[in-house]
Amino acid sequence: MNILYIGSGFVGACSAAISASSGHNVLVYDIDEKKVQMLSSGDRDTIESCLFEEGLGDMLVRNKERVEFTLDYKRVEEFLDDCDAVFMCLPTPEIGETGESNLSYYFDAAEKLSQALLKRNLSSSSTAPDKLAGEQSKYVVIVNKSTVPIDMVDKTQEIMDEVGVKNYGVVSNPEFLVEGKAIQGSLKPDRVVIGAWKEEDFKIMREIYERFYNSPTVSYIEINPKEAAASKLLANFYLAYKLIACYDVIGRTCETFEDLKFENIRNVLTTDKRIGNWGFFDSLYAGGSCLVKDIRSLSHQLQTSGTNASLVDEIYRGNKRQLETFISRAKDDAGFDWKDKKVALLGTSFKRDTNDIRNSPSIDIMNFLNDNNIGGVNIFDPAAMGYFKQVFPESEIIKYKSNEVETLSNCDVVIIATDWPQFKALGDKLIELPNKPLIMDGRRILQHRYDDLQKAGFDIIAVGSPFLKSKA
């Protein structure tokens, strides 16, 4: 089948790669020239420096004959003549902290698409004035892949109908991918959700996802498009609820009372099958492009429809409270004065295995450090420093380092903000330091070395633990 993707971000690029690997002919359109060049480079390392997603570079290289990236909309218009499906993979960021989604990227793309669809299958013998309208003989489905408001299917249809687009359907096909494991999750999904009104649309989507439709290991779910859109928002709300409840209640309890080890409490709770084990790790913040935005969007949509959303709002507040509490413990627990201090910040991506810094806790940490007149900050992340530099350029105060050891040099406080596995080995490197900086472990990644570090003379602030004072 011929499939067009509009938007080559995390969702668009990964979905396009999977479609190409399934044997479909794929065109990906984006307005970001640098991104298009990097993703179409045919070089794995170049691709992964753009989107650090395990397996994406290899898959795009292997399927380069079936996937094309373009900046040229004329190429899109040509492709639409024989196109079976158009996947809308546009960013829908939150407007401030209102919960309302900024749909301008989507609407701009949809309106431009409507004009192009109107002209598809234009006959050379057309008698239409200026040949503005084609025959539109080829049926096409417009697929909302982005996370959008529940009633977005109606708005998409209105845009198409307003200009006279014919022979089309609108489908909701939300993605439930985990960043860092998106390719693996796409190849072996637990579910594929298709929302449509017409059997014709379901039929096309079954052909696109033929490899999963009859798979005994995949739940292939067909519902209406509003149910599909709502399912994505509600899934992310529930995931956020589990994460944030874990550290705002369970973790906070372990910080409050002596002799409670978070890992032991977690072991007791997760052996209950009713509770399950996903999301039971303590952290300084739940970041990324989805969870925070989607719980706020759900709240906004509920409230604008006249429904109380106090529980949803409290989950959002609990997330902010966690990061604020973590930072404030330096002064409250350790009596630490940030003024003129040297900081080592380890981790800038919002989590491991990605170079995505959207809603990364390190952004708020950097803003806090800048407001508190620190003496300097050394920063290291194995994948995300390029994007972080765009937000916080290198300066007399801000320095980017090539490894953990350089980052730790002459620091007064170490902040571990991302759960990169390599940071688990920091214990010995810290013990070898000539000084004893305050350790702030926002991921409990050094919990297996806390006792050793205390005996070596370190004070430790860790999510899920009371203040751990030096035993030296």
Side-chain angles (χ1 to χ4, degrees):
M1 301 188 81
N2 296 317
I3 304 175
L4 169 65
Y5 287 85
I6 298 182
S8 65
F10 166 74
V11 174
C14 291
S15 299
I18 295 297
S19 288
S21 76
S22 298
H24 300 305
N25 182 36
V26 176
L27 178 67
V28 186
Y29 171 77
D30 204 296
I31 61 173
D32 187 327
E33 182 175 0
K34 184 177 181 181
K35 185 182 292 183
V36 168
Q37 289 175 348
M38 295 177 79
L39 291 174
S40 59
S41 65
D43 179 74
R44 184 191 65 182
D45 292 339
T46 301
I47 293 167
E48 291 187 351
S49 68
C50 178
L51 288 174
F52 188 81
E53 188 64 48
E54 185 178 357
L56 175 62
D58 287 333
M59 185 168 285
L60 287 176
V61 172
R62 283 198 309 270
N63 295 281
K64 61 184 179 181
E65 300 302 320
R66 286 192 294 271
V67 60
E68 174 189 351
F69 292 84
T70 186
L71 291 160
D72 185 0
Y73 209 80
K74 289 183 179 179
R75 178 73 185 96
V76 171
E77 293 173 343
E78 294 169 358
F79 192 83
L80 284 173
D81 276 344
D82 295 304
C83 184
D84 296 289
V86 180
F87 282 78
M88 306 292 281
C89 305
L90 288 309
T92 55
E94 183 181 6
I95 300 173
E97 292 190 43
T98 64
E100 182 179 359
S101 297
N102 180 353
L103 299 174
S104 61
Y105 301 104
Y106 183 95
F107 287 143
D108 287 347
E111 287 167 4
K112 191 171 186 177
L113 176 66
S114 70
Q115 296 295 330
L117 288 173
L118 187 66
K119 295 185 287 185
R120 72 190 191 282
N121 311 129
L122 185 64
S123 170
S124 59
S125 60
S126 172
T127 58
D130 300 322
K131 296 184 180 180
L132 292 178
E135 295 175 1
Q136 302 186 64
S137 55
K138 173 71 173 174
Y139 189 86
V140 63
V141 291
I142 302 165
V143 185
N144 284 334
K145 194 73 173 170
S146 306
T147 303
V148 293
I150 293 170
D151 63 354
M152 194 65 180
V153 59
D154 296 337
K155 296 175 182 177
T156 306
Q157 186 166 340
E158 288 172 8
I159 291 171
M160 300 301 148
D161 289 348
E162 187 175 348
V163 299
V165 175
K166 300 175 183 177
N167 218 15
Y168 77 96
V170 182
V171 171
S172 178
N173 173 216
E175 56 83 17
F176 296 90
L177 302 177
V178 177
E179 286 199 52
K181 300 178 181 177
I183 296 300
Q184 176 186 344
S186 296
L187 291 171
K188 296 181 179 180
D190 51 8
R191 65 203 184 280
V192 174
V193 178
I194 306 297
W197 296 119
K198 298 182 289 188
E199 175 60 27
E200 189 171 10
D201 298 341
F202 282 126
K203 184 178 178 181
I204 291 174
M205 298 306 292
R206 288 176 202 140
E207 291 184 50
I208 292 173
Y209 290 122
E210 183 179 6
R211 68 192 294 176
F212 305 125
Y213 179 62
N214 292 311
S215 171
T217 62
V218 178
S219 294
Y220 193 93
I221 303 170
E222 294 182 338
I223 52 183
N224 76 50
K226 293 184 181 180
E227 290 170 334
S231 296
K232 173 59 187 292
L233 288 173
L234 292 168
N236 276 349
F237 160 74
Y238 201 72
L239 294 174
Y241 173 81
K242 290 194 71 173
L243 282 171
I244 296 164
C246 179
Y247 51 66
D248 196 41
V249 180
I250 300 168
R252 193 79 69 243
T253 302
C254 294
E255 292 170 8
T256 303
F257 296 96
E258 297 287 339
D259 302 318
L260 297 182
K261 186 175 181 180
F262 174 81
E263 286 72 23
N264 291 340
I265 298 295
R266 178 179 62 191
N267 188 44
V268 173
L269 297 177
T270 57
T271 52
D272 187 330
K273 293 180 181 179
R274 296 170 301 173
I275 295 175
N277 59 15
W278 188 90
F280 274 84
F281 57 89
D282 211 342
S283 174
L284 73 170
Y285 191 71
S289 64
C290 293
L291 294 187
V292 174
K293 175 177 72 73
D294 288 356
I295 57 177
R296 293 286 295 162
S297 176
L298 178 61
S299 172
H300 175 77
Q301 291 180 64
L302 288 170
Q303 291 185 69
T304 53
S305 299
T307 299
N308 185 288
S310 56
L311 177 58
V312 184
D313 289 340
E314 184 55 32
I315 295 301
Y316 175 75
R317 286 193 291 268
N319 196 36
K320 294 194 71 172
R321 180 165 57 243
Q322 175 71 351
L323 183 55
E324 291 166 358
T325 299
F326 175 70
I327 295 173
S328 67
R329 288 182 66 191
K331 178 180 178 181
D332 297 342
D333 291 359
F336 188 81
D337 182 2
W338 293 93
K339 190 174 188 302
D340 297 327
K341 294 298 191 298
K342 186 76 173 289
V343 180
L345 178 59
L346 293 169
T348 60
S349 59
F350 82 92
K351 69 169 189 175
R352 58 179 281 184
D353 301 328
T354 181
N355 61 356
D356 193 345
I357 67 167
R358 288 174 291 182
N359 282 310
S360 167
S362 292
I363 293 175
D364 284 340
I365 290 171
M366 283 297 296
N367 289 332
F368 170 84
L369 296 177
N370 285 334
D371 290 342
N372 281 267
N373 302 311
I374 60 165
V377 55
N378 290 341
I379 301 171
F380 172 72
D381 186 286
M385 287 196 295
Y387 287 115
F388 207 71
K389 284 180 182 178
Q390 295 176 19
V391 182
F392 300 100
E394 195 158 35
S395 66
E396 287 296 316
I397 298 294
I398 300 171
K399 301 296 181 183
Y400 289 88
K401 302 298 181 178
S402 59
N403 57 58
E404 299 94 325
V405 175
E406 288 183 9
T407 308
L408 296 173
S409 178
N410 299 316
C411 67
D412 300 297
V413 56
V414 180
I415 303 174
I416 302 174
T418 308
D419 55 336
W420 287 103
Q422 66 200 70
F423 293 164
K424 290 182 179 180
L426 282 172
D428 289 337
K429 294 180 176 66
L430 287 163
I431 290 171
E432 292 169 0
L433 292 175
N435 60 325
K436 307 297 178 187
L438 173 66
I439 298 172
M440 299 187 70
D441 188 353
R443 301 285 185 162
R444 292 191 67 80
I445 205 160
L446 294 176
Q447 62 86 17
H448 60 296
R449 299 298 304 273
Y450 287 164
D451 190 56
D452 295 336
L453 290 164
Q454 286 178 275
K455 289 176 180 177
F458 290 89
D459 290 339
I460 304 169
I461 292 169
V463 291
S465 289
F467 178 51
L468 301 175
K469 195 164 180 58
S470 164
K471 297 179 180 178

